[in-house]
Amino acid sequence: MKKKSSFLPVILFISLYFLLHVYVLSGLQTYSSNPLLPLSFWLVISLVSLLLIYALKRIQNHGMDYFFKFSTHAFLLLLSTELIFFAILLPGDIYRIFSQNPRNLYWIEFASLVSMLTLLIFIYGMIHGKYAYRVIKHSLFFEDLPANFDGFTITQISDIHAGSFNNPKAIQKGIDLINKQSSDLFVFTGDLVNNKASEVLPWMSYFSQIKAPHGQFSILGNHDYGDYVKWKNDANKRANLQKLKNHHATMGYRLLLDEHVIIYKNGEKIILAGVENWGLGFGERGDLKKALKSVNVNDFKVLLSHDPSHWEAQVKNYPVKIQLTLSGHTHGMQFGLEAFGIKWSPVKYRYAHWAGIKKENNRYLNINRGFGFLGFSGRIGIWPEITVITLRKLPPVS
């Protein structure tokens, strides 16, 4: 049997990419037949495409530096506006074919206007949206919650991605909002950096301001292991991870590595456990059994696990009941719509449940939308999140 060429998807993408540009240009030429228009158009397309290719080739050695961000964002903005232009132009052209009329200049102008509005929305997301912090509150009810923990509050943030930050004033605003919640417990559910431990150094004084009466706890996410950049050798990679672990301690966070701690309140307790990253396609490192070693089956348990696929694969049906799991990882893809009763993001095609609370098998999962951002330096419709969860005890059934 002849093996399929791995170049086929690449060839298909390039072909569709080229045809998109040809079609968009044909629409723009409705405005003008000036020969400089297609020349200028193809020069811009070629420059943006070459910048993207070069940025992707150098990412392992240089990481997501400013050149990478500039190149990818230029490509994203160009492609997004062209796709919107295409989506509006196409129905008009289909109608034109059946009606045998020439292209309507007003329809082209409408497509151009919507494309420009799309561009402005993306620019808004890059300037303001990525730091537009939202506090989202949930009250969760449990029959087996110890009575003294009724009303106990947990503030959760996730996916800081410190290497992406560039606005100290905005970060301080987020930190102040976290502390304003005055929660009993603070947890961070992974991805402190994009790739390297050094990325968090300029921001440690900010995140070390976060304090809670019952402590600050954290776990690692898939980006924290340095898997996505090239290292000189394994020793350097291991040293980077150790530095990152030390940074958690310096900021005052107790890093949970397949282990648990006991949180006491007025003579009663709950278990707070944390696992190393376990995610389908992102490294299955975490050991849930180890994290819960010696824990009583009847104890109330809160689990920190970065990737929500862990909950789906193991936690929700684990023989020992874990009442609440706190995750992140998805970012809500930093793009979508949550308004007017609509909750949609492209990330739903990878994770059926990608943000907020889910309950199954009498166990809860919360997926935080992320405090920071990665790849796309912005957020549109899916804003950075600070979660506050209040644990409530259900009264006994009479």
Side-chain angles (χ1 to χ4, degrees):
M1 184 176 178
K2 189 175 180 180
K3 187 178 180 181
K4 291 183 179 180
S5 172
S6 59
F7 289 105
L8 185 59
V10 177
I11 294 170
L12 181 61
F13 173 80
I14 293 173
S15 300
L16 292 174
Y17 184 62
F18 176 75
L19 291 173
L20 172 67
H21 297 319
V22 171
Y23 185 64
V24 169
L25 178 59
S26 73
L28 294 176
Q29 286 180 308
T30 306
Y31 287 117
S32 171
S33 58
N34 190 321
L36 289 177
L37 176 61
L39 177 62
S40 303
F41 179 85
W42 287 114
L43 280 174
V44 171
I45 298 300
S46 299
L47 177 61
V48 171
S49 301
L50 289 172
L51 285 174
L52 177 69
I53 293 168
Y54 182 60
L56 293 173
K57 284 179 67 69
R58 66 194 292 275
I59 188 173
Q60 279 206 331
N61 292 321
H62 298 273
M64 295 180 182
D65 59 7
Y66 286 108
F67 179 81
F68 178 85
K69 291 177 183 177
F70 173 81
S71 302
T72 53
H73 284 67
F75 176 80
L76 177 64
L77 292 174
L78 178 66
L79 185 61
S80 299
T81 51
E82 284 193 285
L83 286 172
I84 293 297
F85 188 84
F86 164 81
I88 297 174
L89 187 62
L90 184 61
D93 279 345
I94 293 172
Y95 173 78
R96 176 175 63 88
I97 290 169
F98 285 102
S99 64
Q100 296 183 343
N101 291 322
R103 268 181 172 157
N104 188 316
L105 181 60
Y106 293 114
W107 189 253
I108 304 296
E109 290 175 342
F110 174 69
S112 301
L113 176 62
V114 176
S115 297
M116 290 303 101
L117 287 174
T118 301
L119 180 62
L120 291 175
I121 290 171
F122 270 86
I123 292 173
Y124 170 84
M126 292 166 62
I127 295 173
H128 177 73
K130 62 186 177 184
Y131 295 121
Y133 301 108
R134 302 288 194 272
V135 177
I136 297 180
K137 297 185 177 183
H138 303 285
S139 291
L140 304 180
F141 293 82
F142 304 89
E143 293 179 352
D144 48 356
L145 180 71
N148 285 325
F149 282 87
D150 184 28
F152 190 85
T153 53
I154 303 172
T155 287
Q156 176 199 6
I157 65 171
S158 193
D159 300 87
I160 288 173
H161 289 288
S164 300
F165 292 153
N166 58 7
N167 189 332
K169 186 177 179 181
I171 298 303
Q172 185 62 58
K173 176 185 172 184
I175 299 299
D176 292 342
L177 194 54
I178 291 169
N179 281 328
K180 187 179 179 181
Q181 307 313 308
S182 301
S183 290
D184 296 301
L185 182 71
F186 170 78
V187 298
F188 166 61
T189 47
D191 276 0
L192 182 60
V193 297
N194 297 342
N195 295 296
K196 296 183 178 180
S198 58
E199 294 167 12
V200 76
L201 291 175
W203 309 101
M204 288 176 64
S205 62
Y206 294 83
F207 289 98
S208 62
Q209 296 172 32
I210 300 171
K211 302 296 179 186
H214 288 270
Q216 305 81 236
F217 297 87
S218 59
I219 56 172
L220 298 175
N222 54 299
H223 279 267
D224 293 323
Y225 295 91
D227 288 341
Y228 307 122
V229 290
K230 188 176 182 179
W231 298 93
K232 186 177 180 180
N233 51 54
D234 287 341
N236 285 5
K237 184 179 179 181
R238 289 194 299 271
N240 175 75
L241 180 56
Q242 186 57 54
K243 287 179 183 177
L244 187 70
K245 293 176 180 178
N246 294 341
H247 293 337
H248 279 256
T250 301
M251 292 189 300
Y253 299 0
R254 167 69 190 277
L255 184 62
L256 298 175
L257 302 168
D258 294 338
E259 57 188 317
H260 69 270
V261 294
I262 302 174
I263 308 295
Y264 290 99
K265 186 179 181 184
N266 299 333
E268 292 186 309
K269 68 178 182 178
I270 63 173
I271 302 299
L272 178 66
V275 292
E276 295 206 45
N277 186 66
W278 194 107
L280 294 174
F282 292 95
E284 299 171 11
R285 293 179 168 93
D287 187 335
L288 188 55
K289 184 178 180 180
K290 181 180 177 183
L292 297 178
K293 185 179 179 181
S294 75
V295 170
N296 190 292
V297 67
N298 295 317
D299 286 336
F300 186 92
K301 306 166 203 66
V302 178
L303 174 68
L304 310 182
S305 181
H306 176 71
D307 192 318
S309 66
H310 186 214
W311 189 82
E312 294 288 351
Q314 292 187 352
V315 179
K316 71 179 182 181
N317 294 314
Y318 197 67
V320 176
K321 183 180 179 182
I322 298 168
Q323 286 83 347
L324 173 62
T325 300
L326 304 177
S327 298
H329 182 64
T330 71
H331 300 209
M333 211 168 179
Q334 298 165 215
F335 175 83
L337 178 63
E338 291 188 276
F340 314 110
I342 300 170
K343 182 178 179 179
W344 179 87
S345 167
V347 78
K348 69 172 290 184
Y349 302 111
R350 174 66 173 84
Y351 299 93
H353 177 67
W354 49 269
I357 297 292
K358 179 178 182 179
K359 185 179 182 182
E360 190 173 335
N361 197 18
N362 206 27
R363 308 175 191 201
Y364 286 99
L365 166 70
N366 181 64
I367 303 176
N368 181 282
R369 293 163 179 81
F371 186 87
F373 47 92
L374 179 70
F376 171 49
S377 293
R379 283 179 176 264
I380 300 171
I382 308 295
W383 312 117
E385 176 181 348
I386 298 163
T387 310
V388 178
I389 293 176
T390 303
L391 307 181
R392 303 310 306 253
K393 183 173 180 62
L394 281 170
V397 179
S398 57

